[in-house]
Amino acid sequence: MEIVKYPQRESWKDLLKRPRIDHSELENVVSEILVDVKNNGDKALKDYSLKFDKVELKDFKVSQAEIDEANLRIDEPLKKAIGIARGNLEKFHDSQKVTGRIIETTPGVRCWLKSIPIEKVGLYIPGGTAPLFSTVLMLGIPAKIAGCNNIVLCTPPGKDGKVDPAILYTANFIGLKNIYKVGGVQAIGAMAYGTETIPQVYKIFGPGNQFVTAAKQMVNRQGIAIDLPAGPSEVAVIADHTSTPAFIAADLLSQAEHGRDSQVMMFTIDENITELVKEEVIRQLAVLPRKDIASAALQNSKFIVVSSINEMMEMINEYAPEHLIIAVDDYLKYEQKVVNAGSVFLGQYTPEAAGDYATGTNHTLPTNGFAKIFSGVNLDSFVKKVTFQYITEYGIFNIGPAIQCMAAQEDLLGHKNAVTIRLNKVTKK
Amino acid sequence: MEIVKYPQRESWKDLLKRPRIDHSELENVVSEILVDVKNNGDKALKDYSLKFDKVELKDFKVSQAEIDEANLRIDEPLKKAIGIARGNLEKFHDSQKVTGRIIETTPGVRCWLKSIPIEKVGLYIPGGTAPLFSTVLMLGIPAKIAGCNNIVLCTPPGKDGKVDPAILYTANFIGLKNIYKVGGVQAIGAMAYGTETIPQVYKIFGPGNQFVTAAKQMVNRQGIAIDLPAGPSEVAVIADHTSTPAFIAADLLSQAEHGRDSQVMMFTIDENITELVKEEVIRQLAVLPRKDIASAALQNSKFIVVSSINEMMEMINEYAPEHLIIAVDDYLKYEQKVVNAGSVFLGQYTPEAAGDYATGTNHTLPTNGFAKIFSGVNLDSFVKKVTFQYITEYGIFNIGPAIQCMAAQEDLLGHKNAVTIRLNKVTKK
């Protein structure tokens, strides 16, 4: 952990740099698999499952028997916890429903916006060493609330040909029916192009390793929408003299344990807190099971001391962190100045881990500075908004002349005529 | 205009095919210009303005004197028309503001969503033979309502070094201050990378020729957001025995006059209407100034007769038209079944041309089938939604155990510890 004090503005860019992600060298191998899946469908999926997952599958679709087995393997406390998370996520995402009011922009001219679910969406859930059943909740719940008709979930099988029971339990619990045991690039290809077994979708959501990420980028260029550009997870924590060093250290480590390329930053105007937090990090790191990963991530971490809150918030907005924890008593002072962040955690009792699982907000968030432009996954990610308009005879009488005038100025006389021909009929009446 | 009666479902894909767009052969020339602008800034802009626009510019920024001159050159009726369109667009886009309610998902756990404007956006407005001042309204008004801090507008100069006066008048009228006389690929490059004169932006909006479109796609891959993937404009019109053939013909032609690659489709369950509309198209086409363009577009146009409303709406949803006009008396029968469309025009007195200029809805819409996934430009296009959460001590007491349980299941014990360390303090009190 490097402590940087009162950096010059010219050094910001360098200080706030992220680990470079470049998937271009993977493109050939990823592209080859995608083409194969596109051309050979299920056969290609079987080949790659054997090659990468070391398993020979007869059927990709998860059966009722497999779901029943997963139900038995998940204990009651975990079921209860998943139930709590589900309830909170449902409440919050349900509150994001927008009912398009009808706006009469001119007498006789009515406009409205209607949210219509994207019909076919695909959710990718990684398996392997870190099966993320929480991501099933984060993607499946808004997809269900939005009303998407066809929700496909792909997740890799283990060597025993089975899917992680927590993933299966959770998917079934929230009502997902189409679960397929396919992972990696081949799963992205299957959802992008469709195979005999796996239906094609319009938009693909979910995290994954660098191959999965490269595959999502590639099918995105071919017209399949994706949730967000991917990058390593990251957190910025704001501390001051009211902060609890042990809390902050725990938050920094909870981010650092995600991966070696995770980013962990602390910002403060209080020099003293940096040493206190550093000591706590060392103490807590020593007993952390994922110590090796966290240590590697901490190599790139920085504690930045600045001279004013304004300067700090400018810097953080320039960094645009995925997660921002304002771990101080008087968080309002900072909160108002947040412009670029994925999700913000306020006060001393709001760890980022809470948002990863159960507050109700979504944990699929923009990384790598994309919080400047993009929202995290929310209900809108699963709908498109279609505009409707209805003009009465009186309405066209009112706005018709303006349209004629503007269309004529743009030399689009066919446009003008579509109005004239109606105005003639209205005024003749 | 080809009349297709009762097509088999297997033929749908072929029937609904769009003209193929492939910009890959432009990539080399576009990429070269982008790299040049990135490396050489204003100097490159000057070179390309001389090369492509045949004009030597001293200063790219439009001056107050130029705006004053444009004000004088626009006549009062046009100013009044632009004022009406502006008022309607403001009313409708203003109604799209969302105030994030605070949701208490669990006692002591509060979550909300805050819309925060994207700080820096760029608007591209084509010039040349068709200066689209209406697009200045469609992009500039939501950008202003959203509250974007830095709005850059680029539009090409004519050979006289001046910008179209209607574009200039409109931009100034709605309060856009940073207007630059730069067009084409070099304008996209300038907004994507920034130059000495033109500020870098995070998201680029606006239509353009195939070079501009290719440039937008290319900078998009480099992390600059864009409004929508581009494609030729298109309309689907639904007609029945109550429709007025002259209205429908005028709507089809108003779409066809956009460009040779425009798409024009009519759907009906009433065989008789097709001949009546066809006669009207021929009659109206004869006197249309942009007859050549419209005729070319009509070569690809189809009148499709189907046997039921359900079948028709399935087909239209498969086509996912940019514009859908339901030009019948009983439009409700069809409206309920719309799933995929950019903007929908209901009834006999709602021509698509009205939405192009003045109903209040946005005319920047998804083409090429992307209405299945994407919304047209709306207020959301200019904001990102940031989630906030605040947990009280009582709140972490309530949801803490669930988070601990889930984090442990995912083997993320650092996450679990960030909660445990807080719970310990709360329960000790």
Side-chain angles (χ1 to χ4, degrees), chain A residues 6-52:
Chain A
Y6 311 107
Q8 296 295 306
R9 193 171 282 258
E10 299 77 58
S11 68
W12 284 16
K13 204 175 164 184
D14 217 45
L15 268 181
L16 303 175
K17 222 166 40 189
R18 286 168 164 94
R20 186 158 158 58
I21 332 155
D22 186 0
H23 299 124
S24 56
E25 78 252 41
L26 307 177
E27 289 208 350
N28 284 341
V29 49
V30 169
S31 163
E32 202 175 292
I33 299 173
L34 289 177
V35 169
D36 195 4
V37 171
K38 190 173 185 174
N39 293 336
N40 300 309
D42 282 351
K43 192 190 163 302
L45 297 186
K46 280 182 188 168
D47 293 349
Y48 291 112
S49 297
L50 191 58
K51 186 170 174 188
F52 298 127

Side-chain angles (χ1 to χ4, degrees), chain B residues 397-419:
Chain B
F397 178 81
N398 284 329
I399 60 164
I403 299 164
Q404 288 176 308
C405 178
M406 292 172 76
Q409 177 73 23
E410 287 189 355
D411 272 334
L412 295 172
L413 296 176
H415 285 62
K416 183 181 175 188
N417 188 51
V419 172

Side-chain angles (χ1 to χ4, degrees), chain A residues 248-263:
Chain A
I248 293 187
D251 291 344
L252 294 173
L253 287 171
S254 79
Q255 187 59 46
E257 75 172 349
H258 266 298
R260 289 167 192 280
D261 52 4
S262 285
Q263 288 245 304

